[in-house]
Amino acid sequence: PSRLNLDHDFPLSHSLIDPFTTILSLIVIIGVIGVAVYVAKKERLLSFCILWYFGNLVIESSIIPLAIIFEHRTYLPSMFISLIIVMLLNRYVKIRWLKIAIPCAIIVVFSVWTYQRNNTWADKIIFWTDSAAKSPGKARPHYNLGMALAEQERMDEAINHFSTALKLKPTFSKVHNSLGSVFMNLGRTDEAIQHFSEVLKLDSQNTLAYYNLGVAFAIQGKISEAVNYYSNAIRIDPGYTDALMNLGNIMANQGFMNEAIKYYNNALEIEPYNENIHYNLGIILINNGKLEESIQHFRETILIKPDFADAEKNLDQALKIQKAIKESIPQILDMLKDDPKNPTLYFQLGGLYVTSGNHNEAIEQYQKALHIQPDFPEALHRLAVLYANRNEYDKSASMFKKLVALNPENAGTYYNVACMYAQQHKIEESIYWLKKAINKGYDKWDLIKTDKDLKNIRESSQYNKLLNGH
């Protein structure tokens, strides 16, 4: 067993005489095959066993680039080598009991060795420690040992073996990715970013590195960089659901619920039975006032994973809200019969319709509230958001402008007007309102750089001038 190793450190042959054993081995192989052909008529079984061995090695090895040495590729080819031993014993050993004793002894010895080797295979860390000790000059055993140690959260030891692997093979991109992940788990995000970036220098199409960089920058609060790296991961692999979900989370955290829902729906098309996608989408939908759809996704989550406690809890809450809405709407309608000029009642009714997902009815109620009280800021804001969600950007901009008139010091409202004009490709108007927002103190530069609502103005020189230095 001490000779067995999954990853042998064996000198590669670069020519027939480098190393010299190459030509010797070739002569031996050709000679053995020649013997098999020469004795084929007289020793058909011997010839067949030899040709079986080499013929099956051709199939096992092929011309496809694989690991250069894998002992298990000799299992099937070696089957008839055992038969040669039995044949020779039967032919040349004359003592009957010895004919039986020799193969039995071989079987016993090999069985003990197999048992010993199985003890090594029983544990990842023992196995890869054995392999690294037998092949100290190879990077892969150290990398795999590092992975096994990281799984058991023995991070310092994992870092040591990953570092050894990189010394042996600096271009080993998987090691950089894994080392970056360990550093990120330890909170050493800057070091993690260095290693993930190194992966991209070695392999510019490495989706895992793009994804990991997205996670790292998101942890640091650098949202624009995170969005950029997640987007690159999806560009290379449109089916990368983790990247789609994380982009959805970023959009949701920034208040771009429609964008968040779109990313999650894309993820669901790829993995329709992923309970986490259904659950997270349910949360986003309920926060976006789409109660019925959220209930559907919470139910799907529980159907896929019946013991998903948080999904059960949120489904219960959503059903209670649904019941409360159904009971509250008739009550407010009755109150409006007695007090038809009360804008607050219309506003409350609009909120109930938003929560239930009936946005058309919600808009109508907010309009009624504003007809009675034109300077109702909450109703103006709700109406502006609803119009934006329906892509009615001109109406949304009009509502936000009214909010500006009511509260000229709110920088966020100026920014919202800029976004609505950008969506309409009105670049000059958008830049004008964006300048006003910045002058009023709007300093969310990561959002300005990544906000999809502003994508239509990003190529303009005025926009780039505004962002100069930020």
Side-chain angles (χ1 to χ4, degrees):
S2 63
R3 295 286 298 160
L4 296 176
N5 186 6
L6 184 70
D7 200 353
H8 289 275
D9 191 2
F10 194 85
L12 299 180
S13 173
H14 300 283
S15 71
L16 288 175
I17 57 173
D18 180 18
F20 186 70
T21 50
T22 302
I23 193 166
L24 292 178
S25 299
L26 189 60
I27 291 170
V28 170
I29 290 170
I30 292 171
V32 172
I33 294 173
V35 168
V37 173
Y38 180 75
V39 302
K41 289 184 178 180
K42 292 183 179 180
E43 298 285 351
R44 299 183 69 184
L45 182 58
L46 175 63
S47 176
F48 175 78
C49 291
I50 294 170
L51 295 176
W52 169 275
Y53 179 81
F54 288 107
N56 276 278
L57 274 184
V58 169
I59 298 170
E60 290 278 354
S61 299
S62 76
I63 59 171
I64 300 171
L66 301 168
I68 189 167
I69 301 170
F70 261 178
E71 288 157 350
H72 64 251
R73 291 206 200 114
T74 63
Y75 293 170
L76 181 62
S78 297
M79 184 172 69
F80 283 105
I81 298 297
S82 303
L83 186 57
I84 292 178
I85 296 171
V86 173
M87 181 184 69
L88 292 175
L89 284 171
N90 186 60
R91 181 178 297 179
Y92 296 109
V93 176
K94 302 303 181 183
I95 304 172
R96 181 173 175 79
W97 68 267
L98 201 55
K99 289 182 181 181
I100 299 172
I102 292 174
C104 286
I106 293 172
I107 290 170
V108 169
V109 170
F110 273 69
S111 296
V112 171
W113 284 352
T114 300
Y115 177 79
Q116 291 176 349
R117 186 62 179 164
N118 281 345
N119 289 333
T120 303
W121 277 83
D123 181 85
K124 280 185 180 181
I125 291 178
I126 293 174
F127 178 79
W128 287 114
T129 300
D130 174 79
S131 188
K134 291 173 180 175
S135 302
K138 294 203 74 173
R140 189 169 66 172
H142 288 285
Y143 164 69
N144 287 327
L145 179 54
M147 292 293 290
L149 290 164
E151 285 178 10
Q152 294 193 10
E153 298 186 359
R154 294 162 62 175
M155 298 304 185
D156 290 338
E157 295 172 79
I159 289 171
N160 287 336
H161 283 283
F162 286 144
S163 300
T164 300
L166 282 180
K167 288 177 184 176
L168 295 169
K169 188 178 178 181
T171 59
F172 202 157
S173 61
K174 285 184 177 180
V175 182
H176 283 292
N177 249 330
S178 298
L179 192 52
S181 296
V182 169
F183 282 135
M184 197 150 61
N185 288 333
L186 293 173
R188 296 157 64 176
T189 314
D190 287 335
E191 292 171 86
I193 288 171
Q194 290 176 8
H195 284 283
F196 296 143
S197 300
E198 192 64 33
V199 176
L200 293 181
K201 291 178 184 177
L202 298 169
D203 178 10
S204 62
Q205 300 298 302
N206 192 302
T207 53
L208 181 58
Y210 279 114
Y211 173 81
N212 285 334
L213 280 166
V215 173
F217 281 117
I219 289 171
Q220 291 187 336
K222 297 177 180 178
I223 303 303
S224 59
E225 288 89 343
V227 169
N228 177 53
Y229 284 108
Y230 285 140
S231 299
N232 272 300
I234 295 168
R235 172 183 56 81
I236 298 167
D237 180 8
Y240 206 145
T241 54
D242 286 342
L244 287 166
M245 289 170 66
N246 284 3
L247 266 178
N249 293 336
I250 288 176
M251 294 298 116
N253 291 336
Q254 291 186 324
F256 305 123
M257 293 300 183
N258 287 339
E259 291 292 333
I261 291 168
K262 184 183 76 173
Y263 282 120
Y264 266 96
N265 281 330
N266 288 345
L268 267 185
E269 288 179 9
I270 299 158
E271 294 187 35
Y273 301 108
N274 185 315
E275 69 274 12
N276 292 316
I277 300 176
H278 280 288
Y279 175 73
N280 291 338
L281 181 53
I283 296 293
I284 291 172
L285 287 166
I286 200 169
N287 291 334
N288 198 33
K290 298 186 177 183
L291 187 63
E292 296 288 344
E293 293 176 60
S294 72
I295 289 172
Q296 177 186 342
H297 285 286
F298 289 140
R299 282 176 171 157
E300 286 288 336
T301 303
I302 296 167
L303 189 64
I304 297 166
K305 189 178 181 183
D307 60 343
F308 203 133
D310 287 340
E312 290 181 0
K313 180 180 176 181
N314 280 286
L315 176 60
D316 184 57
Q317 290 178 344
L319 290 171
K320 286 178 179 177
I321 293 169
Q322 186 183 54
K323 182 180 177 182
I325 290 171
K326 288 180 179 179
E327 293 173 353
S328 299
I329 288 176
Q331 292 174 3
I332 295 178
L333 289 172
D334 286 339
M335 292 169 67
L336 280 169
K337 290 177 182 178
D338 298 327
D339 188 7
K341 298 295 184 182
N342 188 329
T344 302
L345 290 176
Y346 287 109
F347 177 76
Q348 292 173 348
L349 189 57
L352 291 171
Y353 282 126
V354 167
T355 305
S356 66
N358 190 344
H359 291 181
N360 289 334
E361 193 63 43
I363 288 173
E364 184 178 337
Q365 301 307 319
Y366 289 140
Q367 288 173 337
K368 288 178 180 179
L370 289 171
H371 181 72
I372 299 166
Q373 184 183 331
D375 60 347
F376 197 151
E378 291 85 0
L380 285 168
H381 187 268
R382 293 274 186 91
L383 201 51
V385 171
L386 286 171
Y387 281 139
N389 289 340
R390 290 157 61 105
N391 298 333
E392 297 180 38
Y393 302 118
D394 53 340
K395 292 182 180 179
S396 181
S398 176
M399 296 297 109
F400 281 127
K401 283 182 180 180
K402 289 179 180 179
L403 282 169
V404 168
L406 292 174
N407 184 5
E409 299 307 313
N410 190 325
T413 310
Y414 291 90
Y415 177 78
N416 288 331
V417 178
C419 290
M420 294 306 99
Y421 277 123
Q423 289 281 26
Q424 299 175 73
H425 296 270
K426 295 180 178 179
I427 296 174
E428 290 185 6
E429 291 91 335
S430 178
I431 295 293
Y432 171 80
W433 283 94
L434 185 57
K435 282 181 181 178
K436 279 182 169 289
I438 294 169
N439 291 336
K440 289 290 182 180
Y442 195 84
D443 59 356
K444 297 180 180 179
W445 298 105
D446 278 339
L447 180 59
I448 294 172
K449 293 174 185 177
T450 59
D451 195 339
K452 291 183 178 295
D453 286 344
L454 294 178
K455 66 179 179 180
N456 293 326
I457 68 169
R458 287 210 172 89
E459 299 301 321
S460 70
S461 58
Q462 296 163 293
Y463 171 84
N464 291 311
K465 185 177 179 181
L466 277 175
L467 265 67
N468 187 30
H470 296 285

